[in-house]
PDB file of all heavy atoms in Angstrom:
ATOM      1  N   LYS S   9       2.089   6.825  25.466  1.00 43.00           N
ATOM      2  CA  LYS S   9       2.903   8.017  25.633  1.00 43.00           C
ATOM      3  C   LYS S   9       2.184   9.278  25.154  1.00 43.00           C
ATOM      4  O   LYS S   9       2.624  10.382  25.416  1.00 43.00           O
ATOM      5  CB  LYS S   9       4.219   7.863  24.854  1.00 43.00           C
ATOM      6  CG  LYS S   9       5.118   6.764  25.398  1.00 43.00           C
ATOM      7  CD  LYS S   9       5.781   7.209  26.687  1.00 43.00           C
ATOM      8  CE  LYS S   9       6.731   6.123  27.193  1.00 43.00           C
ATOM      9  NZ  LYS S   9       7.368   6.508  28.450  1.00 43.00           N
ATOM     10  N   THR S  10       1.093   9.071  24.420  1.00 45.00           N
ATOM     11  CA  THR S  10       0.408  10.233  23.865  1.00 45.00           C
ATOM     12  C   THR S  10      -0.389  10.935  24.953  1.00 45.00           C
ATOM     13  O   THR S  10      -1.231  10.346  25.597  1.00 45.00           O
ATOM     14  CB  THR S  10      -0.526   9.790  22.741  1.00 45.00           C
ATOM     15  OG1 THR S  10       0.266   9.096  21.794  1.00 45.00           O
ATOM     16  CG2 THR S  10      -1.181  10.976  22.071  1.00 45.00           C
ATOM     17  N   ARG S  11      -0.097  12.215  25.139  1.00 56.00           N
ATOM     18  CA  ARG S  11      -0.738  12.946  26.244  1.00 56.00           C
ATOM     19  C   ARG S  11      -2.132  13.421  25.860  1.00 56.00           C
ATOM     20  O   ARG S  11      -3.089  13.221  26.579  1.00 56.00           O
ATOM     21  CB  ARG S  11       0.118  14.169  26.621  1.00 56.00           C
ATOM     22  CG  ARG S  11       1.249  13.870  27.582  1.00 56.00           C
ATOM     23  CD  ARG S  11       2.408  13.187  26.880  1.00 56.00           C
ATOM     24  NE  ARG S  11       3.635  13.263  27.665  1.00 56.00           N
ATOM     25  CZ  ARG S  11       4.762  12.693  27.311  1.00 56.00           C
ATOM     26  NH1 ARG S  11       4.837  11.975  26.199  1.00 56.00           N
ATOM     27  NH2 ARG S  11       5.839  12.796  28.050  1.00 56.00           N
ATOM     28  N   GLN S  12      -2.238  14.087  24.719  1.00 72.00           N
ATOM     29  CA  GLN S  12      -3.484  14.790  24.420  1.00 72.00           C
ATOM     30  C   GLN S  12      -4.470  13.946  23.636  1.00 72.00           C
ATOM     31  O   GLN S  12      -5.638  13.905  23.960  1.00 72.00           O
ATOM     32  CB  GLN S  12      -3.175  16.062  23.656  1.00 72.00           C
ATOM     33  CG  GLN S  12      -2.475  17.096  24.522  1.00 72.00           C
ATOM     34  CD  GLN S  12      -2.329  18.400  23.779  1.00 72.00           C
ATOM     35  OE1 GLN S  12      -2.632  18.496  22.606  1.00 72.00           O
ATOM     36  NE2 GLN S  12      -1.853  19.410  24.469  1.00 72.00           N
ATOM     37  N   ARG S  13      -4.005  13.364  22.584  1.00 91.00           N
ATOM     38  CA  ARG S  13      -4.894  12.636  21.677  1.00 91.00           C
ATOM     39  C   ARG S  13      -4.466  11.183  21.621  1.00 91.00           C
ATOM     40  O   ARG S  13      -3.395  10.881  21.083  1.00 91.00           O
ATOM     41  CB  ARG S  13      -4.812  13.238  20.275  1.00 91.00           C
ATOM     42  CG  ARG S  13      -5.761  14.386  20.032  1.00 91.00           C
ATOM     43  CD  ARG S  13      -5.576  14.912  18.624  1.00 91.00           C
ATOM     44  NE  ARG S  13      -4.667  16.051  18.674  1.00 91.00           N
ATOM     45  CZ  ARG S  13      -5.072  17.310  18.668  1.00 91.00           C
ATOM     46  NH1 ARG S  13      -6.354  17.587  18.612  1.00 91.00           N
ATOM     47  NH2 ARG S  13      -4.212  18.290  18.729  1.00 91.00           N
ATOM     48  N   PRO S  14      -5.278  10.295  22.156  1.00 96.00           N
ATOM     49  CA  PRO S  14      -4.913   8.882  22.071  1.00 96.00           C
ATOM     50  C   PRO S  14      -5.017   8.385  20.633  1.00 96.00           C
ATOM     51  O   PRO S  14      -5.607   9.057  19.784  1.00 96.00           O
ATOM     52  CB  PRO S  14      -5.929   8.198  22.985  1.00 96.00           C
ATOM     53  CG  PRO S  14      -7.072   9.133  23.078  1.00 96.00           C
ATOM     54  CD  PRO S  14      -6.523  10.515  22.875  1.00 96.00           C
ATOM     55  N   PRO S  15      -4.487   7.210  20.338  1.00 98.00           N
ATOM     56  CA  PRO S  15      -4.595   6.661  18.989  1.00 98.00           C
ATOM     57  C   PRO S  15      -6.051   6.565  18.556  1.00 98.00           C
ATOM     58  O   PRO S  15      -6.933   6.223  19.348  1.00 98.00           O
ATOM     59  CB  PRO S  15      -3.975   5.266  19.125  1.00 98.00           C
ATOM     60  CG  PRO S  15      -3.051   5.387  20.279  1.00 98.00           C
ATOM     61  CD  PRO S  15      -3.681   6.354  21.225  1.00 98.00           C
ATOM     62  N   GLY S  16      -6.302   6.892  17.290  1.00 98.00           N
ATOM     63  CA  GLY S  16      -7.647   6.790  16.739  1.00 98.00           C
ATOM     64  C   GLY S  16      -8.493   8.031  16.964  1.00 98.00           C
ATOM     65  O   GLY S  16      -9.661   8.046  16.591  1.00 98.00           O
ATOM     66  N   VAL S  17      -7.918   9.057  17.557  1.00 98.00           N
ATOM     67  CA  VAL S  17      -8.709  10.237  17.948  1.00 98.00           C
ATOM     68  C   VAL S  17      -8.064  11.522  17.423  1.00 98.00           C
ATOM     69  O   VAL S  17      -6.853  11.719  17.556  1.00 98.00           O
ATOM     70  CB  VAL S  17      -8.823  10.322  19.490  1.00 98.00           C
ATOM     71  CG1 VAL S  17      -9.519  11.617  19.910  1.00 98.00           C
ATOM     72  CG2 VAL S  17      -9.561   9.116  20.038  1.00 98.00           C
ATOM     73  N   CYS S  18      -8.895  12.385  16.834  1.00 97.00           N
ATOM     74  CA  CYS S  18      -8.450  13.748  16.504  1.00 97.00           C
ATOM     75  C   CYS S  18      -9.065  14.748  17.489  1.00 97.00           C
ATOM     76  O   CYS S  18      -8.374  15.536  18.109  1.00 97.00           O
ATOM     77  CB  CYS S  18      -8.845  14.111  15.074  1.00 97.00           C
ATOM     78  SG  CYS S  18      -7.922  13.226  13.825  1.00 97.00           S
ATOM     79  N   ILE S  19     -10.386  14.704  17.600  1.00 96.00           N
ATOM     80  CA  ILE S  19     -11.078  15.537  18.601  1.00 96.00           C
ATOM     81  C   ILE S  19     -11.804  14.598  19.564  1.00 96.00           C
ATOM     82  O   ILE S  19     -12.776  13.936  19.167  1.00 96.00           O
ATOM     83  CB  ILE S  19     -12.073  16.503  17.931  1.00 96.00           C
ATOM     84  CG1 ILE S  19     -11.310  17.447  16.981  1.00 96.00           C
ATOM     85  CG2 ILE S  19     -12.844  17.309  18.989  1.00 96.00           C
ATOM     86  CD1 ILE S  19     -12.210  18.401  16.216  1.00 96.00           C
ATOM     87  N   PRO S  20     -11.352  14.511  20.797  1.00 96.00           N
ATOM     88  CA  PRO S  20     -11.959  13.567  21.743  1.00 96.00           C
ATOM     89  C   PRO S  20     -13.442  13.879  21.974  1.00 96.00           C
ATOM     90  O   PRO S  20     -13.859  15.043  21.956  1.00 96.00           O
ATOM     91  CB  PRO S  20     -11.148  13.774  23.031  1.00 96.00           C
ATOM     92  CG  PRO S  20      -9.905  14.462  22.609  1.00 96.00           C
ATOM     93  CD  PRO S  20     -10.238  15.253  21.388  1.00 96.00           C
ATOM     94  N   TRP S  21     -14.216  12.841  22.201  1.00 96.00           N
ATOM     95  CA  TRP S  21     -15.650  13.009  22.476  1.00 96.00           C
ATOM     96  C   TRP S  21     -15.879  13.952  23.662  1.00 96.00           C
ATOM     97  O   TRP S  21     -16.797  14.786  23.653  1.00 96.00           O
ATOM     98  CB  TRP S  21     -16.288  11.646  22.749  1.00 96.00           C
ATOM     99  CG  TRP S  21     -17.663  11.772  23.361  1.00 96.00           C
ATOM    100  CD1 TRP S  21     -18.041  11.457  24.629  1.00 96.00           C
ATOM    101  CD2 TRP S  21     -18.851  12.282  22.711  1.00 96.00           C
ATOM    102  NE1 TRP S  21     -19.370  11.734  24.825  1.00 96.00           N
ATOM    103  CE2 TRP S  21     -19.897  12.242  23.655  1.00 96.00           C
ATOM    104  CE3 TRP S  21     -19.119  12.769  21.438  1.00 96.00           C
ATOM    105  CZ2 TRP S  21     -21.194  12.660  23.375  1.00 96.00           C
ATOM    106  CZ3 TRP S  21     -20.417  13.194  21.149  1.00 96.00           C
ATOM    107  CH2 TRP S  21     -21.438  13.129  22.107  1.00 96.00           C
ATOM    108  N   GLU S  22     -15.031  13.850  24.661  1.00 95.00           N
ATOM    109  CA  GLU S  22     -15.205  14.682  25.858  1.00 95.00           C
ATOM    110  C   GLU S  22     -15.164  16.169  25.491  1.00 95.00           C
ATOM    111  O   GLU S  22     -15.879  16.989  26.076  1.00 95.00           O
ATOM    112  CB  GLU S  22     -14.107  14.373  26.890  1.00 95.00           C
ATOM    113  CG  GLU S  22     -14.176  12.974  27.487  1.00 95.00           C
ATOM    114  CD  GLU S  22     -13.807  11.869  26.499  1.00 95.00           C
ATOM    115  OE1 GLU S  22     -13.039  12.139  25.541  1.00 95.00           O
ATOM    116  OE2 GLU S  22     -14.305  10.730  26.662  1.00 95.00           O
ATOM    117  N   GLU S  23     -14.311  16.494  24.537  1.00 95.00           N
ATOM    118  CA  GLU S  23     -14.213  17.882  24.101  1.00 95.00           C
ATOM    119  C   GLU S  23     -15.476  18.285  23.323  1.00 95.00           C
ATOM    120  O   GLU S  23     -16.034  19.369  23.532  1.00 95.00           O
ATOM    121  CB  GLU S  23     -12.969  18.030  23.219  1.00 95.00           C
ATOM    122  CG  GLU S  23     -12.655  19.440  22.802  1.00 95.00           C
ATOM    123  CD  GLU S  23     -11.380  19.504  21.955  1.00 95.00           C
ATOM    124  OE1 GLU S  23     -10.440  18.720  22.189  1.00 95.00           O
ATOM    125  OE2 GLU S  23     -11.351  20.336  21.035  1.00 95.00           O
ATOM    126  N   LYS S  24     -15.921  17.408  22.438  1.00 97.00           N
ATOM    127  CA  LYS S  24     -17.123  17.694  21.650  1.00 97.00           C
ATOM    128  C   LYS S  24     -18.365  17.764  22.539  1.00 97.00           C
ATOM    129  O   LYS S  24     -19.262  18.587  22.326  1.00 97.00           O
ATOM    130  CB  LYS S  24     -17.299  16.610  20.575  1.00 97.00           C
ATOM    131  CG  LYS S  24     -18.526  16.789  19.700  1.00 97.00           C
ATOM    132  CD  LYS S  24     -18.433  18.060  18.864  1.00 97.00           C
ATOM    133  CE  LYS S  24     -19.714  18.318  18.087  1.00 97.00           C
ATOM    134  NZ  LYS S  24     -19.694  19.639  17.441  1.00 97.00           N
ATOM    135  N   ARG S  25     -18.398  16.899  23.547  1.00 97.00           N
ATOM    136  CA  ARG S  25     -19.586  16.811  24.404  1.00 97.00           C
ATOM    137  C   ARG S  25     -19.908  18.140  25.067  1.00 97.00           C
ATOM    138  O   ARG S  25     -21.086  18.486  25.269  1.00 97.00           O
ATOM    139  CB  ARG S  25     -19.365  15.718  25.475  1.00 97.00           C
ATOM    140  CG  ARG S  25     -20.536  15.516  26.424  1.00 97.00           C
ATOM    141  CD  ARG S  25     -21.715  14.945  25.666  1.00 97.00           C
ATOM    142  NE  ARG S  25     -22.926  14.829  26.484  1.00 97.00           N
ATOM    143  CZ  ARG S  25     -23.819  15.817  26.648  1.00 97.00           C
ATOM    144  NH1 ARG S  25     -23.611  17.014  26.092  1.00 97.00           N
ATOM    145  NH2 ARG S  25     -24.917  15.631  27.364  1.00 97.00           N
ATOM    146  N   LYS S  26     -18.853  18.908  25.383  1.00 97.00           N
ATOM    147  CA  LYS S  26     -19.054  20.188  26.060  1.00 97.00           C
ATOM    148  C   LYS S  26     -19.831  21.184  25.196  1.00 97.00           C
ATOM    149  O   LYS S  26     -20.404  22.144  25.710  1.00 97.00           O
ATOM    150  CB  LYS S  26     -17.697  20.800  26.433  1.00 97.00           C
ATOM    151  CG  LYS S  26     -16.974  20.039  27.537  1.00 97.00           C
ATOM    152  CD  LYS S  26     -15.580  20.599  27.749  1.00 97.00           C
ATOM    153  CE  LYS S  26     -14.778  19.700  28.673  1.00 97.00           C
ATOM    154  NZ  LYS S  26     -13.346  19.957  28.592  1.00 97.00           N
ATOM    155  N   GLU S  27     -19.801  20.972  23.872  1.00 97.00           N
ATOM    156  CA  GLU S  27     -20.493  21.898  22.966  1.00 97.00           C
ATOM    157  C   GLU S  27     -21.983  21.581  22.855  1.00 97.00           C
ATOM    158  O   GLU S  27     -22.743  22.363  22.280  1.00 97.00           O
ATOM    159  CB  GLU S  27     -19.878  21.822  21.558  1.00 97.00           C
ATOM    160  CG  GLU S  27     -18.400  22.144  21.522  1.00 97.00           C
ATOM    161  CD  GLU S  27     -17.794  21.799  20.161  1.00 97.00           C
ATOM    162  OE1 GLU S  27     -18.557  21.490  19.222  1.00 97.00           O
ATOM    163  OE2 GLU S  27     -16.559  21.827  20.071  1.00 97.00           O
ATOM    164  N   LEU S  28     -22.428  20.444  23.361  1.00 98.00           N
ATOM    165  CA  LEU S  28     -23.803  19.985  23.170  1.00 98.00           C
ATOM    166  C   LEU S  28     -24.642  20.284  24.419  1.00 98.00           C
ATOM    167  O   LEU S  28     -24.089  20.489  25.503  1.00 98.00           O
ATOM    168  CB  LEU S  28     -23.805  18.485  22.878  1.00 98.00           C
ATOM    169  CG  LEU S  28     -22.966  18.064  21.659  1.00 98.00           C
ATOM    170  CD1 LEU S  28     -22.959  16.546  21.506  1.00 98.00           C
ATOM    171  CD2 LEU S  28     -23.475  18.726  20.387  1.00 98.00           C
ATOM    172  N   PRO S  29     -25.975  20.305  24.270  1.00 97.00           N
ATOM    173  CA  PRO S  29     -26.830  20.538  25.447  1.00 97.00           C
ATOM    174  C   PRO S  29     -26.581  19.493  26.529  1.00 97.00           C
ATOM    175  O   PRO S  29     -26.143  18.365  26.232  1.00 97.00           O
ATOM    176  CB  PRO S  29     -28.249  20.397  24.872  1.00 97.00           C
ATOM    177  CG  PRO S  29     -28.099  20.592  23.407  1.00 97.00           C
ATOM    178  CD  PRO S  29     -26.741  20.125  23.035  1.00 97.00           C
ATOM    179  N   THR S  30     -26.872  19.856  27.751  1.00 97.00           N
ATOM    180  CA  THR S  30     -26.650  18.929  28.866  1.00 97.00           C
ATOM    181  C   THR S  30     -27.463  17.654  28.670  1.00 97.00           C
ATOM    182  O   THR S  30     -26.957  16.550  28.890  1.00 97.00           O
ATOM    183  CB  THR S  30     -27.061  19.606  30.188  1.00 97.00           C
ATOM    184  OG1 THR S  30     -26.448  20.886  30.233  1.00 97.00           O
ATOM    185  CG2 THR S  30     -26.623  18.785  31.391  1.00 97.00           C
ATOM    186  N   GLN S  31     -28.719  17.834  28.269  1.00 96.00           N
ATOM    187  CA  GLN S  31     -29.595  16.678  28.067  1.00 96.00           C
ATOM    188  C   GLN S  31     -29.669  16.352  26.577  1.00 96.00           C
ATOM    189  O   GLN S  31     -30.130  17.183  25.784  1.00 96.00           O
ATOM    190  CB  GLN S  31     -31.008  16.980  28.594  1.00 96.00           C
ATOM    191  CG  GLN S  31     -31.082  17.218  30.095  1.00 96.00           C
ATOM    192  CD  GLN S  31     -30.752  15.964  30.896  1.00 96.00           C
ATOM    193  OE1 GLN S  31     -31.074  14.862  30.480  1.00 96.00           O
ATOM    194  NE2 GLN S  31     -30.095  16.146  32.030  1.00 96.00           N
ATOM    195  N   ILE S  32     -29.206  15.192  26.181  1.00 96.00           N
ATOM    196  CA  ILE S  32     -29.407  14.742  24.803  1.00 96.00           C
ATOM    197  C   ILE S  32     -29.880  13.294  24.831  1.00 96.00           C
ATOM    198  O   ILE S  32     -29.552  12.535  25.753  1.00 96.00           O
ATOM    199  CB  ILE S  32     -28.135  14.865  23.934  1.00 96.00           C
ATOM    200  CG1 ILE S  32     -26.935  14.152  24.591  1.00 96.00           C
ATOM    201  CG2 ILE S  32     -27.795  16.306  23.653  1.00 96.00           C
ATOM    202  CD1 ILE S  32     -25.707  14.158  23.722  1.00 96.00           C
ATOM    203  N   THR S  33     -30.651  12.935  23.811  1.00 97.00           N
ATOM    204  CA  THR S  33     -31.185  11.569  23.723  1.00 97.00           C
ATOM    205  C   THR S  33     -30.138  10.653  23.092  1.00 97.00           C
ATOM    206  O   THR S  33     -29.487  11.035  22.121  1.00 97.00           O
ATOM    207  CB  THR S  33     -32.462  11.573  22.865  1.00 97.00           C
ATOM    208  OG1 THR S  33     -33.383  12.485  23.451  1.00 97.00           O
ATOM    209  CG2 THR S  33     -33.077  10.183  22.799  1.00 97.00           C
ATOM    210  N   ARG S  34     -30.033   9.468  23.623  1.00 98.00           N
ATOM    211  CA  ARG S  34     -29.126   8.436  23.110  1.00 98.00           C
ATOM    212  C   ARG S  34     -27.698   8.973  22.968  1.00 98.00           C
ATOM    213  O   ARG S  34     -27.084   8.937  21.898  1.00 98.00           O
ATOM    214  CB  ARG S  34     -29.619   7.911  21.761  1.00 98.00           C
ATOM    215  CG  ARG S  34     -30.904   7.065  21.832  1.00 98.00           C
ATOM    216  CD  ARG S  34     -30.686   5.728  22.527  1.00 98.00           C
ATOM    217  NE  ARG S  34     -29.558   4.988  22.010  1.00 98.00           N
ATOM    218  CZ  ARG S  34     -29.593   4.180  20.941  1.00 98.00           C
ATOM    219  NH1 ARG S  34     -30.719   4.015  20.293  1.00 98.00           N
ATOM    220  NH2 ARG S  34     -28.521   3.539  20.551  1.00 98.00           N
ATOM    221  N   GLU S  35     -27.156   9.421  24.065  1.00 98.00           N
ATOM    222  CA  GLU S  35     -25.778   9.934  24.015  1.00 98.00           C
ATOM    223  C   GLU S  35     -24.801   8.859  23.539  1.00 98.00           C
ATOM    224  O   GLU S  35     -23.810   9.165  22.868  1.00 98.00           O
ATOM    225  CB  GLU S  35     -25.362  10.453  25.394  1.00 98.00           C
ATOM    226  CG  GLU S  35     -23.954  11.005  25.379  1.00 98.00           C
ATOM    227  CD  GLU S  35     -23.593  11.819  26.614  1.00 98.00           C
ATOM    228  OE1 GLU S  35     -24.497  12.363  27.249  1.00 98.00           O
ATOM    229  OE2 GLU S  35     -22.391  11.894  26.904  1.00 98.00           O
ATOM    230  N   ASP S  36     -25.109   7.606  23.867  1.00 98.00           N
ATOM    231  CA  ASP S  36     -24.205   6.526  23.434  1.00 98.00           C
ATOM    232  C   ASP S  36     -24.116   6.467  21.918  1.00 98.00           C
ATOM    233  O   ASP S  36     -23.037   6.262  21.339  1.00 98.00           O
ATOM    234  CB  ASP S  36     -24.671   5.182  23.999  1.00 98.00           C
ATOM    235  CG  ASP S  36     -26.081   4.816  23.555  1.00 98.00           C
ATOM    236  OD1 ASP S  36     -26.893   5.733  23.322  1.00 98.00           O
ATOM    237  OD2 ASP S  36     -26.364   3.615  23.420  1.00 98.00           O
ATOM    238  N   LEU S  37     -25.258   6.679  21.236  1.00 98.00           N
ATOM    239  CA  LEU S  37     -25.289   6.674  19.770  1.00 98.00           C
ATOM    240  C   LEU S  37     -24.507   7.860  19.208  1.00 98.00           C
ATOM    241  O   LEU S  37     -23.676   7.708  18.299  1.00 98.00           O
ATOM    242  CB  LEU S  37     -26.742   6.729  19.287  1.00 98.00           C
ATOM    243  CG  LEU S  37     -26.940   6.887  17.783  1.00 98.00           C
ATOM    244  CD1 LEU S  37     -26.513   5.634  17.050  1.00 98.00           C
ATOM    245  CD2 LEU S  37     -28.384   7.219  17.465  1.00 98.00           C
ATOM    246  N   ILE S  38     -24.771   9.037  19.774  1.00 98.00           N
ATOM    247  CA  ILE S  38     -24.097  10.252  19.299  1.00 98.00           C
ATOM    248  C   ILE S  38     -22.581  10.103  19.475  1.00 98.00           C
ATOM    249  O   ILE S  38     -21.797  10.442  18.593  1.00 98.00           O
ATOM    250  CB  ILE S  38     -24.596  11.489  20.078  1.00 98.00           C
ATOM    251  CG1 ILE S  38     -26.133  11.564  20.046  1.00 98.00           C
ATOM    252  CG2 ILE S  38     -23.984  12.768  19.536  1.00 98.00           C
ATOM    253  CD1 ILE S  38     -26.741  11.781  18.701  1.00 98.00           C
ATOM    254  N   LYS S  39     -22.206   9.567  20.621  1.00 98.00           N
ATOM    255  CA  LYS S  39     -20.772   9.392  20.914  1.00 98.00           C
ATOM    256  C   LYS S  39     -20.127   8.389  19.942  1.00 98.00           C
ATOM    257  O   LYS S  39     -19.047   8.644  19.394  1.00 98.00           O
ATOM    258  CB  LYS S  39     -20.623   8.883  22.357  1.00 98.00           C
ATOM    259  CG  LYS S  39     -19.201   8.576  22.789  1.00 98.00           C
ATOM    260  CD  LYS S  39     -19.181   8.196  24.282  1.00 98.00           C
ATOM    261  CE  LYS S  39     -17.771   7.972  24.817  1.00 98.00           C
ATOM    262  NZ  LYS S  39     -17.194   6.705  24.442  1.00 98.00           N
ATOM    263  N   ALA S  40     -20.814   7.272  19.719  1.00 98.00           N
ATOM    264  CA  ALA S  40     -20.240   6.226  18.861  1.00 98.00           C
ATOM    265  C   ALA S  40     -20.024   6.731  17.437  1.00 98.00           C
ATOM    266  O   ALA S  40     -18.977   6.479  16.822  1.00 98.00           O
ATOM    267  CB  ALA S  40     -21.147   4.998  18.859  1.00 98.00           C
TER     268      ALA S  40
END
Side-chain angles (χ1 to χ4, degrees):
Chain S
K9 294 285 183 181
T10 304
R11 276 77 162 177
Q12 291 187 353
R13 273 179 264 261
V17 174
C18 290
I19 299 177
W21 166 249
E22 294 70 26
E23 186 179 326
K24 179 65 186 172
R25 181 67 185 87
K26 290 174 190 163
E27 302 169 10
L28 303 176
T30 311
Q31 296 294 325
I32 54 175
T33 303
R34 290 292 310 275
E35 181 167 335
D36 59 330
L37 173 69
I38 308 295
K39 177 175 184 283

